[in-house]
Amino acid sequence: MYNTLKRLGPGLLFAGAAVGVSHLVQSTRAGADFDFGLIWALLLVHLFKYPFFQYGPRYTLATGECLLDGYRKLGNPVLITYFILTFATMFTIQTALTIVTAGLASTLFGITTDTVTWSAIITVTCMFILLLGRYKLLDKLMKVIVLTLTISTLITVMLAIPETTAPHSLKQVFPKSDAGMAFLIAFMGWMPAPLDISIWHSLWTMEKRKNIPGYSLKNSITDFNIGYSSTIVLGILFMALGALIMFGSGEVFSNNATTFSEQLIALYTGNLGEVAYIIIAIAAFTTMFSTTLTTLDASPRAMSYTTRLLIGKYHRNSYMWWMIILATGTIAILLFFLSEMKTLIDIATILSFVTAPFYAIINFRLICSSHTPEKDKPGISLKIISWLGIIFLTGFTIWYVITLF
């Protein structure tokens, strides 16, 4: 049992990075606005994104390299495109995560209601954890965080079931309004996570392989499947919370992070009682802090590695400098968009969705190329799902761009 738990890591880091805004905010909003009507979207996007996430650890353990090394083998234009896309989106993504975490911290812990101050505290705390312990500490923390999150969220849903008064339906719906369609794209953009997390997962798998001798592809796929399954379960649980507690309430979410957090907690405790407050507080804050922490580690790690591949030089402090750049950019954006949390989140999630076809196509091309050993290439089932996934992601992206303009 101990050895099994020891081999878990990158998959739970994936879950920690994935379960955040997509679940706490977007899944809860989906339940609040559409009842259980968007379960189809949650399950479909999980199915069609699955292969492209799995190709990260698969390629790494098959070749001993991360996906970024593979991108370079496909040609520098591919690696440069990744660098540009990541640089263009990482600040918005980190800001969206940090502002929600800061809002929850302000509501739960008091001290100050200033979101920028809380954002700075959270960012510095995450930087300290990462620079102090790097991967090993993050690996250990995430096992506790994901377990705590799953248990507390499940208990909250169980408490909500007997308290719900509004009629509910499992009838699936497709949003018709412009706002509804924009939300659907945003919902799927980060459900369970942006596809560039496959690169992060690849890098974490390299670190795990260094720390655990004999860490195999089978270990990795099992680890990933556990983490991925937890994102599906938690996505449904948060949607259920939104449906059971918020659907039909008439409550409109605020764009302000602190006010949003207060509304979220108040709606829960108003229906479930103050006894549930601590459970909800643990679930909500743990969700967002874990995501903020893993993302602050992953983006600098990926950018540091990409920079080394592009310029051919390695600087031992490049990870730290990229983290400082990301943290500084995050705080700067917060100062300008503090009152527009919902808009900021929608921008970040939509950007993630429209860039998804690039990562899907490149990951699939790499795993099926001569750079991957034949025995480690995906089977026919994964290939079929991959082709369907590329069609699904590309089709939805084109459809969204057409409706937008």
Side-chain angles (χ1 to χ4, degrees), residues 284-300:
F285 184 74
T286 301
T287 301
M288 290 312 309
F289 185 79
S290 68
T291 309
T292 305
L293 178 66
T294 49
T295 305
L296 190 63
D297 168 75
S299 291

Side-chain angles (χ1 to χ4, degrees), residues 16 39 41 108 142 157 162 182 206 249 270 287 291 317 332 351 373 376 380 404:
I39 288 179
L108 301 177
M142 207 49 57
V157 172
M206 285 184 69
S249 69
T287 301
T291 309
N317 292 324
L351 281 174
D376 295 314
I380 187 65
L404 186 65

Side-chain angles (χ1 to χ4, degrees), residues 150-169:
T150 304
I151 293 173
S152 57
T153 308
L154 180 60
I155 292 173
T156 307
V157 172
M158 292 173 65
L159 290 172
I161 292 173
E163 298 295 327
T164 186
T165 56
H168 297 284
S169 171

